[in-house]
Amino acid sequence: MRGVVWLRRDLRLQDQPALTAAFADCDDVIPLFVFDDSLLRARQFGSPCVTFMVTCLAELTGALAARGLALQWRRGNQIEEVLRFVADVKADAVYWNRDYEPGAIERDRKVQQALMTRGVVVHTFKDHVVFEAEEIRGSTGDPLQRYSAYRARWWTKWHAATPPLLSLPVRLRAQRADGSSPRIALPTVEDLGYQTVPLSITPGEKEAQRRLRWFLDGPIHTYVEGRNLPAIDGTSKLSPHFRFGTLSVRTAVHAAVGTLATGGRRSRRDVLAWIDELIWREFFQQVLSSFPQVASGPFRSKDGLPRPRPAGSELNRLYAAWCEGRTGYPLVDAGMRQLNRTGWMHNRVRMVVASFLIKDLRIDWQSGERYFMRQLMDADLAANNGNWQWAAATGTDSMPGYRIFNPLLQSRKFDPEGAYIRQWVPELATVPTDRIHAPHLMTCEEQALAGCRIGTDYPSPIVDHRQAREEYLALGKQEVTA
Ligand SMILES: Cc1cc2nc3c(=O)[nH]c(=O)nc-3n(C[C@H](O)[C@H](O)[C@H](O)COP(=O)(O)OP(=O)(O)OC[C@H]3O[C@@H](n4cnc5c(N)ncnc54)[C@H](O)[C@@H]3O)c2cc1C
């Protein structure tokens, strides 16, 4: 029997349900990846994300070739290309791991229907999450909207039905000493219409496994404090690996739970806090799959929230300053420049820049959501949309609309020495620590000494935070009483 494994966001060999099942059923297995032209043309994602994906595919191509398998690829309309390929190779069955984005669900439904009418068997698997939306419901059977309730049920389910890890299919275990399969050349990032950019997180399955081991041997044991400090390497930086499936989330949870047995009580708190983040990831996946309308708008009505600033030159000026990291708020600027240069931003700073865009600048959260999707290497509809809606107070479980991050206090608290700011905003590198968070407060003499003139070398604040906060809250009250 011949089976095609349609690879999508599962670019690995280990603990890979679709691949494992295909090897169990078929004597001939063909892995396939399709570059979706309409997605590439839409420019929803940017070069960091595409560079990461293509590099992961290159590694996977090599790993498969060493085991005698040639990864096949096509480019075009995904539905048409998959159907054509399956017909060309006369496959009996097609295997894939499920995707929960509304567009992907619709695409998969069409492919499945067309294959079934042609007599080709389709097998789909849970892979991208530990538990799918249907597996974790409230007592009424409805999807859960509160994270705390979701988390409690997630853990109950984990203890009741811990998902096993799949071992590598026997036929994939050994590298072939004999010549192996011809290695097929993939399109380059440039062929796909994007630019190859240097990546701050190394792609590929091998690196994902290495980074997981490194993280579990060290930083996870101080995660509660370390995760808030953008100047240190205190988080796993596995997000693009989860995005493209170079690491299975089950593997990560099993490994983290494994460390609970060896660490002390304090470390237990840290390990559980890290697993919490993986559960947030699943929570947002189930929000997207249960309420697909969030992909195009707010989950909750915007009543009581100030209307965004009207379109016009003032909005354009403020938005451009935010995108380029020229707001005059060093922590915000450091975050945006880290994002623009590396395709990644620390989570604490993501929260600060999101609050700043929505509340200080009063710009629609969807503009921020789109910008992040285009810049992030880990750009993921469920996590990005969930977090932006959380920041905007329009999500299922959000921070309250009246809670506004103070970018100066956040900066003093989480980057006390200004090391993160100095790294990404070099014009502030020699500003003394007691001025680094609010350099506009430097006297002329201090500016001369630091070699940084405010308004020339580094911008004055584009808005006054205290005033912007009061305006936001007052406009919110008007909306409630209107
Ligand atoms: C405005 C905004 C937009 C975001 N957009 C994305 C996005 O497009 N893609 C993305 O993967 N994450 C997104 N996040 C969540 C989070 O910032 C990143 O997952 C995290 O910074 C990745 O770093 P890490 O792998 O070192 O995380 P760790 O701290 O090591 O956490 C482990 C894993 O848990 C998951 N995770 C952690 N925090 C969150 C969270 N708040 N929500 C959902 N999952 C989480 C990620 O998969 C992460 O790799 C966003 C957060 C904000 C505030």
Side-chain angles (χ1 to χ4, degrees):
M1 180 156 127
R2 173 169 291 167
V4 168
V5 179
W6 180 18
L7 297 162
R8 296 106 64 91
R9 33 165 79 206
D10 45 7
L11 307 181
R12 65 175 189 282
L13 300 183
Q14 298 285 343
D15 190 36
Q16 222 287 24
L19 200 64
T20 306
F23 272 100
D25 296 348
C26 310
D27 17 56
D28 187 13
V29 174
I30 311 175
L32 168 73
F33 186 87
V34 181
F35 295 94
D36 183 340
D37 259 343
S38 58
L39 208 61
L40 290 166
R41 266 198 308 269
R43 303 243 147 225
Q44 232 176 313
F45 304 104
S47 291
C49 195
V50 175
T51 305
F52 193 91
M53 177 186 76
V54 170
T55 317
C56 291
L57 277 166
E59 192 212 54
L60 184 63
T61 307
L64 287 166
R67 291 164 171 84
L69 276 165
L71 176 76
Q72 302 293 324
W73 66 270
R74 294 289 183 273
R75 180 174 175 180
N77 172 296
Q78 284 205 65
I79 301 175
E80 289 166 16
E81 292 301 328
V82 171
L83 295 179
R84 189 173 305 137
F85 183 83
V86 170
D88 285 352
V89 300
K90 300 189 175 50
D92 306 290
V94 180
Y95 299 76
W96 70 71
N97 293 315
R98 290 190 281 273
D99 186 327
Y100 309 104
E101 294 188 3
I105 291 172
E106 185 54 14
R107 172 199 67 198
D108 292 352
R109 193 188 58 74
K110 286 184 179 157
V111 173
Q112 181 156 9
Q113 222 167 35
L115 287 173
M116 280 162 65
T117 56
R118 294 166 195 201
V120 179
V121 184
V122 172
H123 300 279
T124 76
F125 303 86
K126 170 176 75 171
D127 175 55
H128 194 55
V129 289
V130 177
F131 299 118
E132 290 180 319
E134 298 70 32
E135 294 180 89
I136 303 208
R137 294 288 201 204
S139 43
T140 56
D142 292 332
L144 289 162
Q145 297 184 20
R146 293 264 154 223
Y147 172 72
S148 52
Y150 178 86
R151 176 187 183 277
R153 293 208 177 225
W154 190 98
W155 273 115
T156 307
K157 182 93 187 161
W158 173 270
H159 293 304
T162 310
L165 292 177
L166 300 170
S167 40
L168 197 65
V170 178
R171 276 187 281 157
L172 281 181
R173 270 184 218 159
Q175 300 247 357
R176 287 214 180 163
D178 61 329
S180 76
S181 196
R183 198 165 161 163
I184 290 183
L186 288 167
T188 63
V189 175
E190 279 68 21
D191 292 337
L192 300 175
Y194 292 77
Q195 258 185 318
T196 303
V197 290
L199 297 173
S200 59
I201 298 177
T202 310
E205 180 174 10
K206 258 195 206 143
E207 172 59 19
Q209 299 274 359
R210 189 205 64 77
R211 180 80 191 178
L212 176 66
R213 280 194 302 274
W214 171 85
F215 181 69
L216 297 183
D217 281 347
I220 197 172
H221 302 290
T222 49
Y223 183 70
V224 168
E225 266 101 51
R227 69 170 164 179
N228 278 315
L229 306 175
I232 66 165
D233 202 6
T235 67
S236 70
K237 291 196 174 147
L238 286 170
S239 50
H241 291 291
F242 291 127
R243 161 68 180 84
F244 286 105
T246 38
L247 181 66
S248 100
V249 67
R250 287 174 302 279
T251 300
V253 179
H254 271 288
V257 168
T259 67
L260 286 173
T262 51
R265 232 177 113 202
R266 210 179 105 80
S267 158
R268 182 181 174 80
R269 181 193 66 148
D270 292 290
V271 173
L272 291 176
W274 190 65
I275 300 174
D276 259 355
E277 298 301 342
L278 297 175
I279 304 175
W280 267 107
R281 176 182 170 276
E282 305 234 334
F283 176 68
F284 286 135
Q285 286 286 338
Q286 73 103 29
V287 168
L288 181 63
S289 78
S290 306
F291 309 104
Q293 70 273 20
V294 296
S296 51
F299 175 77
R300 276 178 208 294
S301 96
K302 292 183 184 172
D303 294 348
L305 296 174
R307 291 207 188 133
R309 190 178 290 279
S313 58
E314 180 63 354
L315 180 139
N316 296 344
R317 182 181 74 82
L318 296 173
Y319 180 61
W322 179 81
C323 293
E324 291 161 20
R326 290 186 293 101
T327 66
Y329 284 89
L331 186 65
V332 173
D333 294 342
M336 295 307 291
R337 294 189 201 183
Q338 180 183 29
L339 174 66
N340 294 339
R341 273 190 232 147
T342 70
W344 192 82
M345 193 199 299
H346 190 278
N347 181 59
R348 166 62 48 186
V349 193
R350 291 189 203 200
M351 292 195 285
V352 173
V353 305
S355 171
F356 190 81
L357 182 82
I358 298 163
K359 294 172 180 173
D360 288 64
L361 304 184
R362 269 195 299 116
I363 294 179
D364 186 19
W365 63 268
Q366 287 176 291
S367 306
E369 182 197 11
R370 278 191 296 274
Y371 188 75
F372 266 37
M373 282 304 269
R374 286 198 303 272
Q375 300 296 323
L376 281 171
M377 199 187 325
D378 61 23
D380 174 71
L381 176 57
N384 196 43
N385 177 273
N387 278 285
W388 276 99
Q389 298 232 30
W390 176 86
T394 59
T396 56
D397 190 350
S398 297
M399 83 167 180
Y402 56 79
R403 194 171 156 219
I404 298 173
F405 280 101
N406 180 326
L408 302 178
L409 294 184
Q410 292 283 314
S411 184
R412 287 200 181 99
K413 192 166 173 194
F414 298 117
D415 189 28
E417 302 301 318
Y420 176 73
I421 292 171
R422 285 180 226 282
Q423 182 181 0
W424 297 108
V425 189
E427 61 268 38
L428 297 177
T430 50
V431 169
T433 302
D434 62 344
R435 290 291 193 220
I436 190 100
H437 309 287
H440 62 284
L441 297 179
M442 286 194 291
T443 62
C444 291
E445 203 184 339
E446 285 172 325
Q447 293 181 31
L449 271 173
C452 174
R453 279 166 305 154
I454 298 302
T456 309
D457 301 318
Y458 183 71
S460 309
I462 51 168
V463 289
D464 175 74
H465 170 68
R466 196 179 297 177
Q467 198 184 329
R469 178 177 189 280
E470 276 163 20
E471 275 173 21
Y472 185 86
L473 294 176
L475 286 166
K477 276 195 197 123
Q478 281 173 26
E479 284 291 318
V480 172
T481 50

